[in-house]
Amino acid sequence: MTLKSATPDFIDSLRAVLPDAAFREAAPRYFEEPRGRWQGQGVIVAPGDAEGVAQVVRACAGARVPIVPYGGGTGLVGGQIAPDGPVPVILSLERMRAVRGLWPGENVVVVEAGAILQDIHEAAEAAGRLFPLSIAAKGSARIGGLLGTNAGGVNVLRYGNARDLCLGLEAVLPDGRIWHGLKRLRKDNTGYDLRNLLIGSEGTLGVITAAALKLAPRPAGEGTALMAVAGARAALDLLAMARDHMGEGISAFEIIHRQGLDFLAETLPDIRQPFAEPPEWCVLIDVGLARGLDPAAALETLFAEGFEAGLVHDGMVAQSQAQRHAFWEVREQIPEANRRIGSVSSHDISLPLSVIPEFIARGTGVIAGIGDFRVNCFGHLGDGNLHYNVFPMPGRTRADHVAERDAIKRAVHDLVHEMGGSVSAEHGIGRLKVGDLERYGDPVKLDAMRAIKAALDPVGIMNPGAVLRAGG
Amino acid sequence: MTLKSATPDFIDSLRAVLPDAAFREAAPRYFEEPRGRWQGQGVIVAPGDAEGVAQVVRACAGARVPIVPYGGGTGLVGGQIAPDGPVPVILSLERMRAVRGLWPGENVVVVEAGAILQDIHEAAEAAGRLFPLSIAAKGSARIGGLLGTNAGGVNVLRYGNARDLCLGLEAVLPDGRIWHGLKRLRKDNTGYDLRNLLIGSEGTLGVITAAALKLAPRPAGEGTALMAVAGARAALDLLAMARDHMGEGISAFEIIHRQGLDFLAETLPDIRQPFAEPPEWCVLIDVGLARGLDPAAALETLFAEGFEAGLVHDGMVAQSQAQRHAFWEVREQIPEANRRIGSVSSHDISLPLSVIPEFIARGTGVIAGIGDFRVNCFGHLGDGNLHYNVFPMPGRTRADHVAERDAIKRAVHDLVHEMGGSVSAEHGIGRLKVGDLERYGDPVKLDAMRAIKAALDPVGIMNPGAVLRAGG
């Protein structure tokens, strides 16, 4: 069924039912995305409540006008951008930012979809609790988009992905009706898991308008260490050792390659380098432990046993909050350093933990077979999630390698797929990886997805072209 | 579309493609369920591999013969029983019990759907790991059914429900094609969450044939305590205090009412009563802590601070494994004592934690308004999951109260629904609660469920009459 553009007449019909505040100027930020691959189009509509969202969806369904749900605009795969086709309504949740309720005794908060992640962090902290989802873009990412894309980040190892932190949803389905599913329950086996179906569907099955989220107790004490490891296999052995010591107390276990430290030194020289001589591989370990345990002492014990076992050869345990922040600053500024260098091809991949050392070894060979490049491999090792990014050699730029870009991406993704991994660990499919999903996705699952999409959104108005090919 | 019975001719056509071993005698156990409410019917077929399951499903789809997926037969809501309608194929997974692989370093095991939960526990333990899902029927429940119903149990507080422990699935969809989704990945954002859609769909959207499951590190030390509390509010405050002390270290937090202890004393007098004078309310706390912490000492500190705060007035911390088992025996035998007394109406409900004290108070009034009954309220308080079971007064039997049964169930469920709870916390809908789902379920969600069912199973062969009304 053919979709139609949001014409001035159509927008006028919306003006008749929504307040003026719902109509926003078409500022450039709505049409840009962080990596600059696409330029979007659309008419911005920002309802103030779920009923307003429902009115927009009903109107669009009636007129066959496409809708692109819009959160913080921080997505990296173009799910929030409509570069072509009929002009859509950009349905922004920015005016729906309320914390509807917070129950510290239940460890639950209910927030509207437009709430910014950092604000949720602060609301939880004010109640003596922790909302563990954390990503670099936390100052602008909104919870509706974080759930729509099932965001990951640095604390997945301990607390899970966005979907694992959601107890219930309120959402507008493609027919414009509101599903009131904001349950604050840990156990609820009453029918199909519509919540998890919407989470990660990237706005193609409905619009999340509010969510009931899990909070966690704040650990009694926290600690951070950087340890130089002999390689990826040693890093994994160290992770297993850390789990034997501290169980779920390990909040993050990040791997950093020397290439990342070198890029930092080159592009952001003000950031203090932690090691006098950058090791080939190091890990950043963050722990939050129960009362009666000293995180710094536990990390020192881990280092001593890891040293004894030949897994680590250098390292430092943060002795203050300032040091913890300094260690994390190194990890968190690596993406910025990468941006300044300019990657030829970036890959957000995951693998079964035990094959990661083999993947890294084979990946080196695969890239070398294509040309001379620098690889910065870093990320959430504890989750098997690597950011495997390929850069030009010194003196060259990404523009010099346009011709090799597709071949690199294909080769890396083919290898990941062959080894049982995923070509989109935490960023989603959006518009960038529709072809990858078709190539690597299980055909039976893809057909089931298409059947579900057709059943819930028969007109195809919800974010057409994201995840699944439009009209496909 | 009309379904047809599995005729002898149809079964002969299956015999042409499946080995003799796949055809099982129609033993009575396949047609009974634990609470004796229904008597089933069907022809038993037990394929030896996923391809065999796919052949059965394809044949049934072609001939419009219904399929009832069958695990351990321990479900409490009749999801595994077809009491009427066309004679189905009872598709038993009992021959598919293999552990396909176990990766201790990844904390992952891949098992076939017919694997018995206890066997998975033992495989994990042999590898120094823990598979945390645990229910009373662990000696006969099979993982396919546990996932199909999203089973809960005693460790949900710490480790989540069955769905939270599953990384990937292999399943046969209603068209007889196999979805190969056995990923061993912690992060994989490649399309809709078909895994969670199948989990908890109770065999109405497909047949799970294998699963990749999360394992956990075994806690360095474990401990158990029984504490008499002033009431449900005090129990919740004690839970919050315990979380402040031990974070995720609390594996189970069960509440027990004196009624349960009295029933135990009456029906199972050999079980040692923990308290000289049974308190009105007590909690059973199980903890598993990291290295460097003494679980018994931590529980004693919790008791001391709880006593100081007026939350607990009596209690004991297990000093040996034998004592831990004795404490758990009290909790685990309460359902058996209940069975011997004979309930008028049982309710597997969940509520937001903070309203539980009010629910218990109001529930007492609601039941008293119907007649004189004894209420045994116990369960997984940490998850907000209560088993709220209503019994006759001494000298009377459940048969004396047939007339009040529906009124009690309705009144309890109405109250739960009004207070934001669920009328099926962990058992599912099956055939028992189809009417409850229609009454209390969100109508928009129900329509979405029907649309998904029609999209994935247009002929309606998969477990017709479970979850959704057949042909509805």
Side-chain angles (χ1 to χ4, degrees):
Chain A
M1 284 183 274
T2 318
L3 296 173
K4 300 186 177 159
S5 284
T7 60
D9 279 358
F10 175 74
I11 299 302
D12 282 347
S13 73
L14 283 183
R15 284 190 186 273
V17 293
L18 292 175
D20 283 351
F23 298 88
R24 319 293 276 190
E25 211 179 325
R29 64 186 172 89
Y30 292 108
F31 307 121
E32 297 163 351
E33 45 86 31
R35 291 188 174 164
R37 289 172 191 272
W38 287 287
Q39 182 68 32
Q41 52 166 350
V43 180
I44 319 301
V45 183
D49 55 22
E51 186 45 50
V53 174
Q55 284 175 311
V56 173
V57 174
R58 281 197 297 271
C60 287
R64 302 182 179 280
V65 170
I67 296 170
V68 178
Y70 195 89
T74 63
L76 295 174
V77 289
Q80 73 277 38
I81 292 284
D84 47 32
V87 177
V89 166
I90 307 292
L91 202 167
S92 172
L93 283 302
E94 68 199 80
R95 291 178 61 225
M96 297 176 59
R97 287 192 302 261
V99 174
R100 290 199 192 157
L102 192 153
W103 294 262
E106 295 181 11
N107 282 305
V108 174
V109 64
V110 173
V111 296
E112 292 186 337
I116 287 176
L117 180 53
Q118 180 75 51
D119 294 342
I120 304 174
H121 286 173
E122 286 168 13
E125 190 165 354
R129 297 292 180 270
L130 175 73
F131 182 60
L133 185 68
S134 190
I135 63 170
K138 62 192 171 195
S140 45
R142 298 177 190 273
I143 193 67
L146 291 160
L147 289 166
T149 59
N150 185 32
V154 293
N155 290 329
V156 173
L157 177 66
R158 180 171 192 159
Y159 298 103
N161 295 289
R163 73 168 74 256
D164 302 303
L165 298 170
C166 181
L167 295 171
L169 291 179
E170 176 191 87
V172 176
L173 299 194
D175 63 1
R177 293 199 296 165
I178 302 174
W179 168 42
H180 296 283
L182 278 181
K183 298 268 177 149
R184 289 159 23 215
L185 305 174
R186 307 278 162 168
K187 285 180 172 176
D188 179 21
N189 278 346
T190 52
Y192 302 164
D193 191 356
L194 190 56
R195 172 188 48 148
N196 275 311
L197 188 61
L198 287 174
I199 295 172
S201 69
E202 306 185 36
T204 64
L205 298 177
V207 185
I208 293 169
T209 53
L213 304 171
K214 288 185 200 171
L215 302 176
R218 299 191 79 82
E222 295 174 300
T224 304
L226 271 169
M227 299 188 195
V229 291
R233 170 64 58 205
L236 289 169
D237 290 346
L238 185 67
L239 171 61
M241 183 182 277
R243 281 178 157 154
D244 283 343
H245 287 210
M246 293 176 264
E248 297 97 326
I250 304 151
S251 306
F253 197 94
E254 302 281 308
I255 193 163
I256 299 170
H257 187 256
R258 185 180 51 215
Q259 191 65 68
L261 301 178
D262 290 349
F263 283 174
L264 272 183
E266 184 178 336
T267 64
L268 297 163
D270 289 349
I271 292 183
R272 188 183 155 82
Q273 288 279 328
F275 296 95
E277 180 67 36
E280 190 182 1
W281 293 99
C282 66
V283 293
L284 174 69
I285 310 174
D286 206 71
V287 303
L289 302 182
R291 241 167 54 155
L293 291 175
D294 175 349
L299 286 165
E300 278 153 18
T301 302
L302 177 67
F303 178 80
E305 292 191 21
F307 187 86
E308 190 71 24
L311 304 175
V312 301
H313 57 270
D314 194 1
M316 56 210 85
V317 174
Q319 301 300 325
S320 66
Q321 282 299 108
Q323 269 197 328
R324 290 188 65 212
H325 287 138
F327 289 1
W328 270 105
E329 180 80 353
V330 169
R331 166 64 183 85
E332 291 185 337
Q333 290 299 328
I334 288 176
E336 178 57 25
N338 287 344
R339 267 187 289 274
R340 295 187 182 202
I341 298 288
S343 77
V344 177
S345 186
S346 299
H347 314 92
D348 164 42
I349 60 174
S350 65
L351 291 151
L353 281 191
S354 60
V355 307
I356 284 177
E358 184 192 343
F359 168 81
I360 290 174
R362 290 178 65 185
T364 303
V366 161
I367 300 297
I370 298 174
D372 284 340
F373 296 96
R374 292 180 290 180
V375 173
N376 187 11
C377 172
F378 67 104
H380 319 297
L381 183 70
D383 313 318
N385 178 194
L386 299 177
H387 297 297
Y388 191 88
N389 297 354
V390 180
F391 296 84
M393 295 299 278
R396 310 201 70 180
T397 71
R398 60 194 302 174
D400 297 328
H401 294 291
V402 171
E404 291 119 313
R405 184 174 199 156
D406 286 351
I408 291 171
K409 189 169 293 291
R410 170 66 61 89
V412 171
H413 284 177
D414 280 357
L415 182 61
V416 167
H417 181 67
E418 179 198 328
M419 296 182 77
S422 168
V423 298
S424 185
E426 59 177 5
H427 295 165
I429 299 298
R431 289 174 172 79
L432 180 66
K433 295 189 177 177
V434 171
D436 289 305
L437 182 60
E438 290 171 345
R439 178 175 175 84
Y440 302 110
D442 180 272
V444 174
K445 176 177 169 180
L446 276 167
D447 281 350
M449 286 171 56
R450 292 185 187 108
I452 291 165
K453 170 74 174 175
L456 296 183
D457 182 19
V459 187
I461 58 169
M462 292 306 312
N463 212 2
V467 185
L468 296 169
R469 206 167 288 278
Chain B
M1 284 182 271
T2 319
L3 296 173
K4 300 188 178 161
S5 285
T7 59
D9 279 358
F10 175 74
I11 299 303
D12 281 347
S13 73
L14 283 183
R15 283 189 187 274
V17 292
L18 291 174
D20 284 351
F23 299 89
R24 317 295 276 190
E25 210 178 324
R29 66 186 171 89
Y30 292 109
F31 307 121
E32 296 163 353
E33 45 86 31
R35 290 188 175 163
R37 289 170 192 270
W38 287 287
Q39 182 67 32
Q41 53 166 349
V43 180
I44 320 302
V45 182
D49 55 22
E51 187 44 51
V53 174
Q55 283 175 312
V56 173
V57 174
R58 281 198 295 271
C60 287
R64 301 181 179 281
V65 170
I67 296 170
V68 178
Y70 195 89
T74 63
L76 295 173
V77 289
Q80 72 277 40
I81 291 285
D84 47 32
V87 176
V89 165
I90 307 291
L91 201 167
S92 172
L93 283 301
E94 67 199 82
R95 291 177 61 226
M96 296 175 59
R97 288 193 301 262
V99 174
R100 290 199 193 157
L102 192 153
W103 294 262
E106 294 181 13
N107 282 304
V108 174
V109 63
V110 172
V111 296
E112 292 186 337
I116 288 175
L117 180 53
Q118 180 75 51
D119 294 340
I120 303 174
H121 287 173
E122 287 168 12
E125 190 165 353
R129 296 293 180 270
L130 175 73
F131 181 60
L133 185 68
S134 189
I135 64 169
K138 62 192 170 196
S140 44
R142 298 177 190 273
I143 193 67
L146 290 160
L147 289 167
T149 60
N150 185 30
V154 294
N155 290 329
V156 173
L157 177 65
R158 180 170 191 159
Y159 298 104
N161 295 288
R163 75 167 74 256
D164 302 303
L165 298 169
C166 180
L167 294 173
L169 291 179
E170 175 191 87
V172 177
L173 298 193
D175 63 0
R177 292 199 297 165
I178 302 173
W179 168 41
H180 295 283
L182 280 181
K183 298 268 178 150
R184 289 158 25 214
L185 304 174
R186 308 277 162 168
K187 286 181 171 174
D188 180 21
N189 279 346
T190 51
Y192 301 165
D193 190 357
L194 191 57
R195 171 188 51 150
N196 274 310
L197 188 62
L198 287 174
I199 295 172
S201 69
E202 306 186 36
T204 64
L205 298 177
V207 185
I208 293 169
T209 54
L213 303 171
K214 287 185 201 172
L215 302 175
R218 300 191 77 82
E222 295 174 300
T224 305
L226 270 168
M227 299 189 195
V229 291
R233 171 63 59 204
L236 289 170
D237 290 345
L238 185 66
L239 171 61
M241 184 181 277
R243 280 178 159 155
D244 282 344
H245 287 209
M246 292 175 265
E248 297 99 326
I250 304 152
S251 306
F253 197 93
E254 302 282 308
I255 194 163
I256 299 170
H257 186 256
R258 185 179 53 216
Q259 192 64 70
L261 301 176
D262 290 350
F263 283 175
L264 271 183
E266 185 179 334
T267 63
L268 297 163
D270 289 348
I271 292 183
R272 187 183 157 81
Q273 288 279 328
F275 295 95
E277 181 67 36
E280 190 183 0
W281 293 100
C282 66
V283 293
L284 174 69
I285 311 174
D286 206 72
V287 302
L289 302 183
R291 241 167 52 156
L293 291 175
D294 175 349
L299 286 164
E300 278 153 19
T301 302
L302 177 67
F303 178 80
E305 291 191 23
F307 187 85
E308 191 72 24
L311 303 175
V312 300
H313 56 271
D314 194 1
M316 57 209 84
V317 174
Q319 300 299 326
S320 65
Q321 281 300 108
Q323 270 197 327
R324 291 187 66 211
H325 286 138
F327 290 1
W328 271 104
E329 180 80 353
V330 170
R331 166 64 185 84
E332 290 186 336
Q333 289 300 327
I334 287 175
E336 177 58 25
N338 287 345
R339 267 187 287 275
R340 294 187 183 202
I341 298 288
S343 78
V344 177
S345 187
S346 299
H347 313 93
D348 164 43
I349 60 173
S350 65
L351 291 151
L353 280 190
S354 59
V355 307
I356 284 177
E358 183 192 344
F359 169 80
I360 290 173
R362 291 178 65 184
T364 303
V366 162
I367 300 297
I370 298 174
D372 285 340
F373 296 96
R374 293 180 290 178
V375 173
N376 187 12
C377 173
F378 67 102
H380 319 298
L381 183 70
D383 315 318
N385 178 195
L386 299 176
H387 297 298
Y388 190 87
N389 297 352
V390 180
F391 296 86
M393 295 299 279
R396 309 200 71 180
T397 71
R398 61 195 299 174
D400 298 328
H401 294 291
V402 171
E404 290 119 313
R405 183 175 199 154
D406 285 352
I408 292 172
K409 189 170 292 293
R410 171 66 62 90
V412 171
H413 284 178
D414 279 358
L415 182 61
V416 167
H417 181 66
E418 180 197 328
M419 297 181 75
S422 168
V423 299
S424 186
E426 59 177 5
H427 295 165
I429 300 298
R431 288 173 173 80
L432 179 67
K433 295 189 177 177
V434 171
D436 288 305
L437 182 60
E438 290 172 345
R439 180 176 175 81
Y440 302 110
D442 180 272
V444 175
K445 176 177 169 179
L446 277 167
D447 281 349
M449 287 171 55
R450 292 185 188 107
I452 292 166
K453 169 74 173 174
L456 296 183
D457 182 20
V459 187
I461 58 169
M462 292 306 311
N463 212 2
V467 186
L468 296 169
R469 208 167 286 279

